C-alpha cells in the first residue's frame, strides 16, 4: 500500500507517493500560487495525486491516505487552514473538499509539524519526546510526545520561532520584536552576513558572492568558514550564539530526549552542531544532569515534509 504526502510551501508544492517503508517512490512539484482559494488548491492537490498514481502505475485503491502539510495552522476541528500568510485566500474547508474528490483518508497538518513527524519516524528507536526546529525562510518547529504531535488548544502550538530572545529586539514578521526567527532563520543569517560584508570588503565572502551571481546564501557563508575566512567565522559564531539562546530555552522548557535541527542550514551541521552543542551546554539549566537532550541534524532534508505528511495516519490522536 501507499500514501501520498504533499508539502505546500510558500513558494512551491512538493508531492510524493510514499511506500510502506517510508520511501518516496515518485514525486511531483509545482510553484505555489498565493492567490489560490481552497477550491483551487484542492483541485491542484487532487491532480498532483492523480498524476503521481498514473505515472507510477499505482491504482487508487492501493493508496490509503493523502496527507497535506500547510504553511499555517491546520485546524483539525474545522478542516481549514488558519494564519497562513502565504495563502491568504485559502480559507475554506480544504479537508472536506479533498475527501469529496478522492474518498481517501485526508490529514491536514502544519508543515513544520509534518516535517518533525517525518524525521521522528525516520529514527530507529523512537524517543519519548522529540522537537524539530527547522531553519528555513523562517524558523518552524514541531513537538512530539509519546507518539503524538503537540498541537495545543487551537492547533497552533509549537511556534518556537516566535519566542523572544531579545527584549525589544529587531522586528519579526509576526509583529513582535526580538523573536528567535528574526535572528536565527536562513534569511536572518543572510542579513547578518551582508552587514558584515559591508564592513569587510576584502573577505572571501565577496568572491563567493560574485561567483554566486551576487547573491549571499547560507551555503556560501559556511564554505567561507571552512576556508578560514575571518569575516565568515565572525558571522557563523554570532549566528550560532543567537540560535543557542533559543535552543537552550526550548530545552529548559521541554527537556526533550532528542532535538533535531532541520532546514537548509542543517546541511552545514558538521560545523554548526558541534558549536551549538558547546554553547547550549553552557546555557541550559540542566547542565549538570547525567542525561541531557541529544542535539542532532535532520537526515531527510526537504523530504521530511512529504514523508511526514504521507504518514500522518500513524500519528496517535
Ligand atoms: Zn515572531
Amino acid at each position: 500500500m501507499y500514501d501520498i504526502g504533499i508539502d505546500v510551501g510558500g513558494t512551491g508544492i512538493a508531492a510524493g507517493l510514499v511506500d510502506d517503508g517510508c520511501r518516496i517512490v515518485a514525486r511531483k512539484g509545482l510553484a505555489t500560487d498565493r492567490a489560490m482559494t481552497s477550491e483551487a488548491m484542492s483541485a491542484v492537490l487532487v491532480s498532483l495525486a492523480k498524476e503521481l498514481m498514473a505515472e507510477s502505475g499505482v491504482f487508487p485503491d492501493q493508496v490509503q491516505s493523502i496527507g497535506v502539510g500547510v504553511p499555517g495552522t491546520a485546524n483539525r476541528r474545522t478542516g481549514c487552514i488558519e494564519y497562513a500568510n502565504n495563502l491568504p485566500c485559502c480559507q475554506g474547508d480544504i479537508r472536506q473538499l479533498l475527501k469529496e474528490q478522492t474518498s481517501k483518508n485526508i490529514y491536514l497538518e502544519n508543515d513544520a509539524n509534518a516535517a518533525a513527524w517525518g524525521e521522528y519516524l525516520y529514527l530507529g528507536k523512537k524517543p519519548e519526546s522529540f522537537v524539530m526546529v527547522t531553519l528555513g525562510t523562517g524558523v518552524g518547529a514541531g513537538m512530539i510526545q509519546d507518539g503524538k504531535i503537540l498541537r495545543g488548544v487551537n492547533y497552533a502550538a509549537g511556534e518556537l520561532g516566535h519566542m523572544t530572545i531579545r527584549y525589544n529586539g529587531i522586528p519579526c514578521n509576526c509583529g513582535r520584536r526580538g523573536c528567535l526567527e528574526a535572528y536565527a532563520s536562513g534569511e536572518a543569517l543572510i542579513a547578518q552576513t551582508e552587514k558584515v560584508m559591508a564592513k569587510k570588503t576584502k573577505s572571501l565572502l565577496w568572491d563567493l558572492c560574485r561567483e554566486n551571481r551576487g547573491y549571499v546564501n547560507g551555503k556560501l557563508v559556511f564554505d567561507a568558514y571552512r576556508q578560514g575566512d575571518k569575516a565568515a567565522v565572525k558571522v557563523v559564531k554570532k549566528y550560532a550564539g543567537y540560535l543557542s539562546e533559543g535552543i537552550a530555552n526550548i530545552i529548559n522548557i521541554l527537556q526533550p530526549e532528542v532535538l533535531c535541527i532541520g532546514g537548509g542550514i542543517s546541511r552545514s551541521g558538521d560545523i554548526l552542531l558541534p558549536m551549538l552543542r558547546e554553547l547550549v551546554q553552557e546555557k541550559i539549566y540542566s547542565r549538570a544532569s547525567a542525561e541531557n537532550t541529544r542535539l542532532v541534524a535532520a537526515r531527510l532534508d526537504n523530504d521530511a515534509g512529504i514523508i511526514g505528511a504521507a504518514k500522518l495516519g500513524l500519528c496517535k490522536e
Side-chain angles (χ1 to χ4, degrees):
M1 289 298 274
Y2 297 91
D3 297 282
I4 289 173
I6 308 178
D7 188 8
V8 178
T11 53
I13 301 176
L17 184 69
V18 179
D19 70 11
D20 285 336
C22 287
R23 286 172 296 257
I24 300 178
V25 294
R27 55 176 87 224
K28 284 253 141 206
L30 47 84
T32 306
D33 171 3
R34 291 163 71 127
M36 262 193 281
T37 60
S38 311
E39 287 75 16
M41 174 68 82
S42 63
V44 164
L45 300 186
V46 168
S47 75
L48 277 173
K50 283 184 178 161
E51 284 170 35
L52 277 173
M53 287 188 279
E55 286 175 21
S56 8
V58 165
F59 295 105
D61 59 6
Q62 289 174 279
V63 172
Q64 310 177 94
S65 74
I66 300 174
V68 186
V70 295
T73 299
N75 189 317
R76 289 162 70 82
R77 195 170 43 77
T78 61
C80 298
I81 307 170
E82 296 168 351
Y83 313 120
N85 296 331
N86 293 315
L87 297 170
C89 308
C90 196
Q91 289 168 343
D93 185 347
I94 191 155
R95 187 177 55 196
Q96 185 58 30
L97 287 166
L98 288 169
K99 178 95 193 158
E100 283 165 9
Q101 291 170 71
T102 63
S103 305
K104 297 289 170 200
N105 291 325
I106 305 293
Y107 300 96
L108 197 64
E109 188 57 75
N110 168 264
D111 54 358
N113 286 352
W117 184 243
E119 287 287 345
Y120 169 83
L121 289 179
Y122 199 71
L123 297 172
K125 184 180 170 290
K126 305 283 176 284
E128 259 179 39
S129 48
F130 176 84
V131 173
M132 176 151 125
V133 176
T134 303
L135 309 169
T137 315
V139 174
M143 309 185 292
I144 293 157
Q145 177 79 45
D146 300 321
K148 284 170 82 167
I149 294 172
L150 297 182
R151 300 185 177 96
V153 66
N154 48 13
Y155 314 99
E159 290 297 339
L160 304 180
H162 300 287
M163 70 166 78
T164 55
I165 58 162
R166 284 278 194 285
Y167 173 67
N168 230 358
I170 54 178
C172 178
N173 295 324
C174 74
R176 214 172 162 197
R177 282 178 172 271
C179 292
L180 177 64
E181 177 164 303
Y183 291 87
S185 66
E187 269 186 20
L189 174 65
I190 290 167
Q192 289 156 22
T193 306
E194 287 172 343
K195 208 169 154 190
V196 169
M197 284 169 75
K199 286 189 206 146
K200 310 249 178 194
T201 49
K202 289 213 164 62
S203 161
L204 174 64
L205 287 167
W206 280 103
D207 302 331
L208 297 179
C209 178
R210 271 188 285 271
E211 283 170 23
N212 194 37
R213 293 172 293 131
Y215 291 103
V216 175
N217 61 25
K219 180 181 178 297
L220 175 160
V221 183
F222 286 98
D223 284 349
Y225 179 98
R226 269 180 238 278
Q227 294 181 51
D229 179 68
K230 278 192 183 139
V233 169
K234 187 178 168 189
V235 170
V236 170
K237 282 192 170 162
K238 196 160 187 191
Y239 174 79
Y242 291 133
L243 182 57
S244 69
E245 288 292 320
I247 301 295
N249 290 346
I250 297 167
I251 293 175
N252 283 350
I253 295 167
L254 293 166
Q255 297 289 352
E257 199 176 321
V258 176
L259 194 153
C260 173
I261 307 281
I265 293 169
S266 70
R267 281 172 221 149
S268 305
D270 58 321
I271 294 169
L272 191 59
L273 272 177
M275 211 181 265
L276 206 53
R277 285 191 189 109
E278 204 176 307
L279 289 163
V280 167
Q281 179 63 26
E282 291 164 10
K283 292 175 184 177
I284 51 172
Y285 178 80
S286 56
R287 62 183 80 86
S289 292
E291 198 175 351
N292 267 313
T293 299
R294 269 194 298 133
L295 269 181
V296 302
R299 292 190 291 175
L300 294 174
D301 210 343
N302 291 331
D303 289 349
I306 295 175
I307 295 171
K311 297 296 171 185
L312 284 166
L314 298 176
C315 185
K316 285 189 202 160
E317 279 302 307

